[in-house]
Amino acid sequence: MDKIDVGIIRCLTQDARMNASQIGAKVNLSVSAVIERMKKLESSGLIRRYTAVIDEHKAGFGTQALISVRLEHPKYNESFSKQMCAHPSVVECFYLTGDFDYMARVTVGSGEELTKVLNDIKQIPGVSLTRTYVVLETVKQDTPVIPKLS
């Protein structure tokens, strides 16, 4: 990866709908060269997908929460992870070090929906403790990660 690849990635993280001609103008490369580099970035797995970033509040998901989860034993990790991946209100889930095993970020439309999600999580086999933090305000939410050159 070189500085041109980083420039292409920077363009795509700012606007995934930017076409190769626009990107080429920004990174000083021909359209065909941009397309070839994009294909290589995709096939290497560095670019996993192209997506739209949705405003959760405008989409009707006015309540966000972080739920810390402790499991009784590591033997429950795989089944817990699968259920988190399948739950429609869980938008992110992280396996952690520390006092809790997992942290899930959930988005829902109301406090009642949050209660249901929390009860769903508590009923998963192996869950021994949860802590729920309702998000009052998102101070920073920046999804793009721009690779560093080595």
Side-chain angles (χ1 to χ4, degrees):
M1 180 178 322
D2 60 16
K3 67 180 182 176
I4 294 174
D5 289 332
V6 172
I8 291 169
I9 291 169
R10 183 171 279 115
C11 289
L12 292 170
T13 58
Q14 291 170 356
D15 181 1
R17 292 175 50 143
M18 190 177 291
N19 65 40
S21 176
Q22 294 168 312
I23 294 170
K26 290 184 181 283
V27 299
N28 199 26
L29 210 59
S30 71
V31 172
S32 60
V34 168
I35 291 170
E36 184 62 33
R37 283 177 177 254
M38 286 174 61
K39 286 180 182 176
K40 285 181 182 176
L41 291 167
E42 292 165 3
S43 65
S44 74
L46 187 64
I47 294 177
R48 293 188 302 170
R49 66 183 172 152
Y50 299 89
T51 188
V53 178
I54 305 299
D55 184 308
E56 293 169 351
H57 289 277
K58 289 181 180 177
F61 299 101
T63 302
Q64 284 190 72
L66 301 172
I67 302 173
S68 301
V69 180
R70 183 181 298 156
L71 299 182
E72 293 172 10
H73 191 275
K75 70 181 180 182
Y76 295 108
N77 285 355
E78 187 177 341
S79 62
F80 179 82
S81 294
K82 285 181 182 177
Q83 291 195 48
M84 289 293 92
C85 289
H87 200 292
S89 295
V90 175
V91 294
E92 293 181 290
C93 187
F94 305 97
Y95 182 48
L96 308 171
T97 62
D99 293 335
F100 287 88
D101 299 301
Y102 290 88
M103 175 74 72
R105 183 171 75 88
V106 302
T107 58
V108 292
S110 66
E112 292 81 18
E113 288 178 44
L114 178 57
T115 299
K116 183 186 178 326
V117 172
L118 187 56
N119 287 334
D120 291 346
I121 291 172
K122 287 180 176 182
Q123 292 177 20
I124 296 173
V127 172
S128 64
L129 181 65
T130 63
R131 291 274 189 269
T132 303
Y133 308 90
V134 174
V135 175
L136 300 176
E137 176 184 1
T138 300
V139 176
K140 180 179 181 182
Q141 185 175 25
D142 198 8
T143 56
V145 176
I146 306 299
K148 296 179 182 179
L149 292 175
S150 27

